[in-house]
């Protein structure tokens, strides 16, 4: 499981050491940025969806605890990295996942990353369980993940879904949402509804199709005006809905 992280440390040498250790010994950690003070760190936190922040305690113009107080609805884990052991209680009170003392022990760093990875994996497993709709209790609705939880949407409001690598664009009549789930995931949870996979990149709500244009595969026009090509191999499956 990949862990998206940032590194917050005011000393360049310490940043270099930690970055190199992570690259060599913790390959599942993807560093999205580095900061040398709390303002830079806060900006990175606001711009990225993070799993983990490596955080030095003492920095210019504030400390780690000042930064954490600024972050509302924190969803990332924190690993404190400091030369001072007297911050341990404060770190614990700030719900830190791990506390690393400088000079950094490679073994302790690996343990810290493994601990955070375990936490995030369990969170994902729980989220996936919640996001799978229970049709007997939420019939006609599905849930889509967001950074701070999930949103419940009516299946009938979805016009089509479009694949974008490991993401899916969910299109409504006047808006769209980008979700960090594959199109295959939505094909499976929408299989009991009238959704047709008409192309490797498109899953369409058949009830929202307003026109079909002939061709080798042809194309469909949906209620929001979008015209979508139909793969020749998917044409037969689609037309069965209209027989």
């Amino acid at each position: 499981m990949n862990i998206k992280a940032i590194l917050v440390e005011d000393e360049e040498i310490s940043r270099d050491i930690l970055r190199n250790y992570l690259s060599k010994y913790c390959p599942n950690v993807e560093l999205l940025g580095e900061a040398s003070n709390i303002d830079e760190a806060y900006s990175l936190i606001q711009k990225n969806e993070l799993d983990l922040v490596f955080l030095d305690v003492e920095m210019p113009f504030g400390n780690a605890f000042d930064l954490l107080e600024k972050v509302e609805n924190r969803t990332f884990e924190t690993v404190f990295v400091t030369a001072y052991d007297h911050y341990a209680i404060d770190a614990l009170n700030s719900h830190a996942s791990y506390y690393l003392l400088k000079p950094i022990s490679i073994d302790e760093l690996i343990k810290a990353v493994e601990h955070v990875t375990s936490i995030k994996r369990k969170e994902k497993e729980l989220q996936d369980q919640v996001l799978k709709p229970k049709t007997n209790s939420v019939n006609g609705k599905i849930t889509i993940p967001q950074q701070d939880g999930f949103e419940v949407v009516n299946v009938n409001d979805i016009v089509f879904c479009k694949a974008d690598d490991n993401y899916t664009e969910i299109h409504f009549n006047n808006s769209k949402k980008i979700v960090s789930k594959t199109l295959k995931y939505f094909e499976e949870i929408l299989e009991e509804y009238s959704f047709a996979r008409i192309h490797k990149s498109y899953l369409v709500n058949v009830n929202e199709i307003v026109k079909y244009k002939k061709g080798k595969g042809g194309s469909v026009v949906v209620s929001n005006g979008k015209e979508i090509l139909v793969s020749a191999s998917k044409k037969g499956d689609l037309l069965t809905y209209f027989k």
Side-chain angles (χ1 to χ4, degrees):
M1 180 179 183
N2 287 338
I3 298 295
K4 296 180 180 179
I6 63 170
L7 198 167
V8 183
E9 165 66 68
D10 65 312
E11 296 180 357
E12 185 176 356
I13 293 176
S14 295
R15 288 200 304 274
D16 291 343
I17 291 172
L18 183 52
R19 185 193 317 112
N20 290 336
Y21 280 0
L22 289 170
S23 176
K24 188 172 182 178
Y25 300 105
C26 305
N28 68 315
V29 175
E30 177 186 359
L31 277 182
L32 300 184
E34 300 178 12
S36 60
N37 57 61
I38 63 172
D39 289 337
E40 292 176 358
Y42 184 71
S43 178
L44 283 173
I45 289 169
Q46 294 298 103
K47 291 177 182 177
N48 295 284
E49 187 172 340
L50 300 172
D51 300 308
L52 172 61
V53 174
F54 291 96
L55 188 56
D56 187 19
V57 176
E58 293 189 344
M59 289 175 289
F61 314 113
N63 61 32
F65 308 108
D66 297 325
L67 171 63
L68 294 177
E69 285 182 3
K70 292 177 64 175
V71 180
E72 297 181 359
N73 301 320
R74 191 186 346 153
T75 59
F76 56 82
E77 302 299 316
T78 307
V79 171
F80 281 88
V81 185
T82 179
Y84 307 99
D85 60 5
H86 60 267
Y87 288 114
I89 297 299
D90 291 332
L92 183 64
N93 291 336
S94 296
H95 306 288
S97 296
Y98 218 89
Y99 193 89
L100 292 175
L101 282 173
K102 299 176 183 177
I104 297 172
S105 160
I106 294 172
D107 288 340
E108 286 300 308
L109 175 61
I110 293 172
K111 287 180 183 178
V113 170
E114 288 177 346
H115 180 61
V116 171
T117 302
S118 176
I119 292 172
K120 303 310 288 188
R121 183 179 291 114
K122 289 176 182 176
E123 286 181 357
K124 185 179 184 303
E125 290 172 355
L126 179 60
Q127 184 185 56
D128 286 346
Q129 290 175 14
V130 172
L131 292 174
K132 291 287 187 181
K134 298 180 178 63
T135 55
N136 59 342
S137 58
V138 288
N139 193 34
K141 299 179 185 292
I142 63 168
T143 49
I144 56 177
Q146 296 182 326
Q147 188 171 358
D148 59 350
F150 60 86
E151 180 178 355
V152 181
V153 301
N154 291 314
V155 170
N156 290 336
D157 291 339
I158 300 172
V159 179
F160 66 89
C161 301
K162 178 184 177 183
D164 183 8
D165 291 328
N166 290 323
Y167 291 80
T168 297
E169 297 177 5
I170 301 179
H171 288 254
F172 304 90
N173 270 309
N174 298 307
S175 64
K176 73 174 181 181
K177 299 181 184 296
I178 299 177
V179 184
S180 58
K181 294 288 183 183
T182 63
L183 188 62
K184 180 67 175 177
Y185 171 86
F186 285 101
E187 183 179 15
E188 290 175 356
I189 68 172
L190 291 169
E191 63 182 356
E192 66 182 275
Y193 302 100
S194 298
F195 279 76
R197 186 75 174 262
I198 65 170
H199 187 279
K200 67 178 182 179
S201 298
Y202 286 93
L203 180 68
V204 174
N205 185 344
V206 176
N207 293 310
E208 296 296 318
I209 294 174
V210 298
K211 186 175 183 179
Y212 172 77
K213 295 183 179 180
K214 292 181 178 179
K216 184 177 181 181
S219 64
V220 294
V221 179
V222 291
S223 59
N224 65 0
K226 169 77 173 178
E227 182 173 352
I228 305 170
L229 290 175
V230 179
S231 297
S233 62
K234 302 291 186 181
K235 179 178 178 180
D237 294 338
L238 171 65
L239 295 181
T240 59
Y241 284 93
F242 300 98
K243 289 182 178 179

